[in-house]
Amino acid sequence: MDIRSQILLDQIAEDMNLLKKKMRWEADAYAMSTISAFLFANANRRADINKYVECKKYLKKNVSIFSEIRGIAEAIVITKMCLADDYEGYLSGVVETYKKLRKIHKLTASAFMVMAAINIYEGSDSNKIDENIDKFETVYKEMKTDHFWLTGDEDRPFIAMMVSADVNIASLSEDISICYEACKAMSLSKQTMHTVAQIMSLSGKNVEAKADDLKDTIAALKRYQLKGMKYDLMPMAAALGFIEATPDEKAASIKENYDYLKKKKGFKWYIGGKQRSLYAILAYALVNMDGDRTVLNSVISSTLTNIIIQQIMLMIIMISLSYTSSSYNSSGSN
């Protein structure tokens, strides 16, 4: 097993168990603590338990219990507060951006809208937030016009990420459509494949190569008995296309992560194979995704590569959580 993966998984397991102790009364303490641990690891930081508690108290004091910020996205917001230099200012900026989006979309309150607000706030200078919100709305409407039944709430974080990074998403739209047509038969979920097509559009490879790689990667992951590839985790499989390795090499390494996690406290008995597969793939991606060696579409600046890769990982976590949140209610102490 790659030593970098082992060190990363050891850190995530240790941090998750420490964080979970501070989330005893959360309905999905296991999921929230695991996601938080991954975000700390992604920032090359260890979990700061005391600061997490401090930020959590501040959030609960300043954000209404009825806000979606207090929902599935709460752990993400709190962790990002911990990673910010000024957590009070960070929360204020995210909340204000979210309120501006909710003022436009009065009937759409969701974790995806929270993620869109985070992406716009983090990716924008303070004087460009309103401008990027306008761009975000324009692009969403255009995408909705082109793909009415496929475009939905789960697409908002991706759009927000792109417009805030000054990427001309219109130049990607044709590739998104072509990628969708090339791989839509791989799953019965059209929405899942639309997300997959968006991720694939960021790759600089030709469409046929991307579709073949996705098909071969899914087949390899299945051979290694990793679950969840048909629906929830297919966007994660698409993101693996950025990594320069064969599908079998990727699957073998991910299976090693999976088996290693089964031995770690907090990852043994109380989670399903699909969730363990997600964490094994995420760990592999965090270790192996290198912006300098990743083949991305030419419309994306090389200076934005690492930011975009990190945001893709976060978007996939959010999508997977929204699909499977009901299965995360156990928070056993195995």
Side-chain angles (χ1 to χ4, degrees):
M1 182 180 187
D2 181 82
I3 187 63
R4 295 178 301 163
S5 297
Q6 183 175 337
I7 292 171
L8 177 68
L9 291 172
D10 286 344
Q11 173 184 328
I12 288 169
E14 182 178 343
D15 285 351
M16 182 278 285
N17 283 290
L18 290 172
L19 287 161
K20 189 171 65 173
K21 292 178 181 178
K22 302 300 181 181
M23 303 180 187
R24 294 185 185 278
W25 305 112
E26 303 290 350
D28 51 358
Y30 175 80
M32 294 177 74
S33 57
T34 304
I35 290 167
S36 181
F38 266 98
L39 289 175
F40 276 113
N42 190 50
N44 295 315
R45 299 262 292 273
R46 293 303 303 260
D48 187 333
I49 308 302
N50 293 331
K51 190 171 183 181
Y52 188 95
V53 172
E54 181 180 345
C55 291
K56 182 177 179 179
K57 289 179 179 178
Y58 186 82
L59 182 143
K60 290 185 180 296
K61 182 179 179 180
N62 290 275
V63 177
S64 168
I65 193 173
F66 300 107
S67 172
E68 285 296 323
I69 293 174
R70 295 277 297 273
I72 293 174
E74 180 177 300
I76 293 174
V77 176
I78 295 172
T79 305
K80 284 180 166 288
M81 289 169 67
C82 291
L83 296 170
D85 294 331
D86 171 16
Y87 70 77
E88 295 180 8
Y90 179 87
L91 180 63
S92 176
V94 170
V95 169
E96 287 305 308
T97 305
Y98 178 68
K99 285 181 178 178
K100 289 179 179 180
L101 291 174
R102 288 285 287 114
K103 188 175 182 180
I104 299 170
H105 302 276
K106 294 180 173 60
L107 300 179
T108 306
S110 70
F112 293 114
M113 190 70 85
V114 175
M115 284 306 306
I118 289 173
N119 287 347
I120 291 172
Y121 175 72
E122 289 188 351
S124 310
D125 293 332
S126 58
N127 61 347
K128 289 192 67 175
I129 288 177
D130 289 342
E131 178 184 340
N132 283 338
I133 287 175
D134 289 341
K135 290 181 181 178
F136 167 77
E137 293 300 321
T138 298
V139 172
Y140 183 81
K141 290 176 182 176
E142 290 174 350
M143 189 176 287
K144 191 75 171 174
T145 299
D146 293 338
H147 303 284
F148 183 82
W149 298 111
L150 297 176
T151 304
D153 193 34
E154 68 277 3
D155 297 308
R156 297 183 196 276
F158 175 84
I159 297 170
M161 174 182 69
M162 291 290 100
V163 300
S164 299
D166 286 327
V167 173
N168 181 3
I169 196 170
S171 64
L172 297 177
S173 60
E174 182 178 357
D175 202 32
I176 292 173
S177 297
I178 296 173
C179 287
Y180 175 76
E181 292 299 323
C183 65
K184 65 180 181 181
M186 296 183 194
S187 173
L188 295 176
S189 172
K190 294 181 179 180
Q191 286 73 26
T192 294
M193 296 317 298
H194 191 228
T195 300
V196 165
Q198 292 173 35
I199 294 171
M200 290 172 66
S201 74
L202 301 179
S203 170
K205 300 175 183 177
N206 66 60
V207 172
E208 183 179 358
K210 289 185 280 193
D212 287 345
D213 183 71
L214 177 61
K215 182 179 179 180
D216 293 343
T217 297
I218 293 169
L221 291 168
K222 286 183 177 180
R223 283 198 301 273
Y224 283 90
Q225 299 182 327
L226 293 158
K227 299 178 180 179
M229 295 305 117
K230 271 291 186 181
Y231 299 102
D232 304 15
L233 302 189
M234 191 170 279
M236 192 71 245
L240 291 174
F242 299 127
I243 299 172
E244 292 297 326
T246 68
D248 195 73
E249 288 170 341
K250 297 173 193 176
S253 295
I254 291 166
K255 185 59 163 59
E256 287 182 342
N257 289 351
Y258 182 96
D259 291 340
Y260 188 71
L261 277 175
K262 288 182 72 173
K263 303 174 184 178
K264 304 299 292 183
K265 180 181 179 182
F267 292 90
K268 294 180 182 178
W269 310 113
Y270 288 92
I271 64 171
K274 182 166 56 179
Q275 286 75 40
R276 197 179 291 113
S277 293
L278 169 63
Y279 300 140
I281 297 172
L282 281 174
Y284 176 79
L286 289 181
V287 168
N288 290 280
M289 277 197 180
D290 183 342
D292 294 332
R293 295 185 295 110
T294 302
V295 181
L296 292 180
N297 194 301
S298 61
V299 303
I300 299 172
S301 167
S302 59
T303 59
L304 296 173
T305 299
N306 289 332
I307 295 173
I308 290 173
I309 290 172
Q310 291 169 16
Q311 288 297 331
I312 289 172
M313 295 299 100
L314 191 56
M315 179 176 69
I316 291 169
I317 291 174
M318 200 71 232
I319 291 170
S320 296
L321 248 189
S322 70
Y323 288 162
T324 62
S325 59
S326 61
S327 66
Y328 282 97
N329 290 330
S330 296
S331 55
S333 58
N334 53 302

